[in-house]
Amino acid sequence: MDVRTNVPNLYGEHLQKFGDLWKTQVESLRARWGSKIERVDFPGEALTDVPVVWVLRSEIVEVLRFLKSDPGFEYNFLADITATDEMPERPRFVVVYQLFSHTRFNRIRLKVKVEDGESVPTAVDVWPGANWAEREIWDMFGIKFDGHPDLRRILMDERWEGHPLRKDYPLRGYQIFPTPQVPNEDLLK
Amino acid sequence: MAKDGSTGYLTTRVDAVVNYFRKNSVWPLPFGTSCCGIEMMATLCSDYDMSRFGAEVVRFSPRQSDLLIVAGIVNSKMAPVMRNVYDQMADPKFVMSFGACASSGGIFNVYSVAQGIDTILPVDIYVPGCPPAPEGVINGLMRLQEMIQRGETQSQRRERGTITI
Amino acid sequence: MENKTFSVDQIPKDLLRQGIPGSYDVTVEHDPDDLWEESRMIVNIGPTHPAMHGALRLVAKLNGEVIEKSYAEFGYTHRAKEKLGENRTYHQFIVYTDRLNYCSALTNNMTYAMAVERLMGVELPMRAQWIRMMCCEISRVIDHLICVGISAVDLGAFTFFLYGFHQREEAYTLIEKLCGARLTTSYCRIGGLMHDAPEGWEKEAKAWAKKTLKVIEEMDQLLTSNKIWCKRTVGVGVFNKEQCLEFSYSGPNARAAGIDVDLRRDQPSMFYRDVQFDVPIAQNGDCYDRYLVRMEEIRQSLNIVIQCAEKIKKGPIWSEDKRTRIPDKEVVYNTMEGMIHHFKFFMEGFRVPAGEAYTTFEASNGELGFFISSKGGSRSHRMRIRGPSVWHYQGLVPMVEGKLLGDMVAALGSINVIAGELDR
């Protein structure tokens, strides 16, 4: 692959600034976690702006906790959790974690592959704020999170059928309900 | 009222007077959900000032208000709530559909959005725009006042029995 | 007949500690079977409650006035923008970004355009970047004015709100001169801008900024040292530094708790390196600190607008890149090739090379991010929008637990949750 034509030049700015830091970080990640890291896409070699670390599904929480607290990484800010639907491919879904460091101001991205029907361990123990982001992934993609305290729908009505952001859900698949969503008293105990 | 059901001279005159006062003291309920809510605030504030048209007494209780301004998107989760609010309002009640999203779904023809609030409740006046400029809203309010004076709003027609929505 | 008079001494001193509803002290342990357990009340606030800013809902279990347990709900304005991102071309999606944080639509436009430009490797000319910077700062001022104004209205200070609102109208006049719209601007194009700024626009913006600085001083005198305002906000809705990090707070809400991060300074884009500005930080993380941080940020943003107006120069506003350039009308109407180009551009859209990028910018509420994953072609494979309001609203429930119901209103007003950005 010809890097010069395929990688847009604006990715390069970050690579110049954080390239060496990312290289040492990726090396120490590989040394620490070994085969639990499937692969690392490095900017300049792959089509991405920051390094993408593909982690085994069972190890993701430990890797997140390590990245959050280890002095060589300090990715203390969970910028986002989301998912993508790669429909014809197997496994079907990819859960994406965006991390940001408040000390070095660089970013890194973690990815986990999930098959339809499988579940990912929850990151709520590491960042309590991951709660709603994971609920949203359940709502939109139907990926379950193991050990999540309150895995309900969040954007859609609780009576909604299907998961709208899946590629096979139609853009105009309306569903209408005659009554409002009632307060859930079980949540207040 | 005459025996054949037509309104007599006195009732029509009284109606005209009642409608005159009614149109100049519209109490709106701002049902602002998204972007249009911000423009509705601008309309109510000092630069545009809806109180020049007697419509500045904003009430958040449906029992106290007679104009429902639906400003912004109404989606499948919100639609039953809006219908509830409308049902709680006392007659005569008027509905203004504020902006493209409320009138027709606008640019959001997607799974979650109700394609126009007129699929859920009767609407008297539509104000176009995404969001409408405050001048447009004031124009819409003036048209609504004319309708109230002539007794042409959905609620007044329902009262007279000409429609049954 | 005995003359009975009421005196304060008759009230038992420990009345407030006996677990009576309305008691401030929630540290008192209640017996679950005691008399007051039955008096717990479940209150449903929203989605159309005036204090709930648009369409949010909080269901709270109250012990008198104290919120014992609550949960928050949203999604009442969900408009499927992420799904639309996969179904619209990159050019068509610009209008949907306006409706994210509609108080500062220009910032969303710019961030989205930056994200696509980053995927394509398009570089902007100087003037376009300066105009974008000015737009971002003007919309930041508008957004903060709304936030502090509305949170003041929630607590009963209406005059303050009107001061800010008039200044906001003048800012909208400026924006109208740029693009003809007030709220939903769609001013940005990928690789450029819709129009150049009209002649003398920079000077008007500078004059507006200088006038607004004076108005901000007046607003400051009205509220900042006002005793009632201080009593309602100091120590209310506290969210400390650790909690802010746990719940991924960013922007002014995080800076009010002492997190010294501003993406304009720490991850600079456009020309933020070339202007002078301070990043205000407060320590306590309560409503009052959030208010102070926002007021100071308005001043800093106005200073940036003034500096930009001095540094901006004439020049092209479109990048040299042919892929994203919208053909000129003269070419479209007079040549066949231009006509075909125009048709293909709008009907089919330009192609973005495969790749993925997470582009962020310091929007007025915090870190606004677009994660765009492209597989080539004119539509994205996944368009994820990271709205800061989601994370801020999530912190509301731990923020108000064990506090008074009235304080919830103050806390919600001060974290500035925008429904369009929250539900997307």
Side-chain angles (χ1 to χ4, degrees), chain A residues 8 47 49 78-80 82-83 86 107 109 111 129 132 136 154 164 166-167 169 181 184 189, chain C residues 57 61 69 71 73-74 83 119 121 246 248 267 356 358 360 367 375 381-382 384 386 394 424:
Chain A
L47 299 168
D49 56 341
L78 175 71
D80 199 9
T82 182
E86 322 279 336
R107 290 175 190 274
R109 189 175 304 138
K111 285 192 176 181
W132 280 15
E136 193 181 327
I154 188 162
R166 288 189 173 197
K167 291 280 179 194
Y169 194 92
Q181 192 172 318
N184 191 345
K189 274 170 188 157
Chain C
R57 185 188 203 180
K61 187 162 116 184
K69 198 157 169 48
Y71 73 92
E73 242 181 43
F74 64 100
K83 185 91 176 172
L119 271 172
E246 280 177 354
S248 296
Q267 191 186 291
E356 59 180 37
Y358 179 61
T360 53
E367 178 183 317
K375 296 208 160 173
H381 172 65
R382 172 89 172 99
R384 163 70 181 174
R386 190 252 190 221
Q394 189 180 5
R424 296 180 302 273

Side-chain angles (χ1 to χ4, degrees), chain B residues 66-78:
Chain B
D66 45 15
L67 169 63
L68 178 66
I69 304 183
V70 183
I73 196 82
V74 174
N75 67 4
S76 59
K77 210 170 169 181
M78 193 60 139

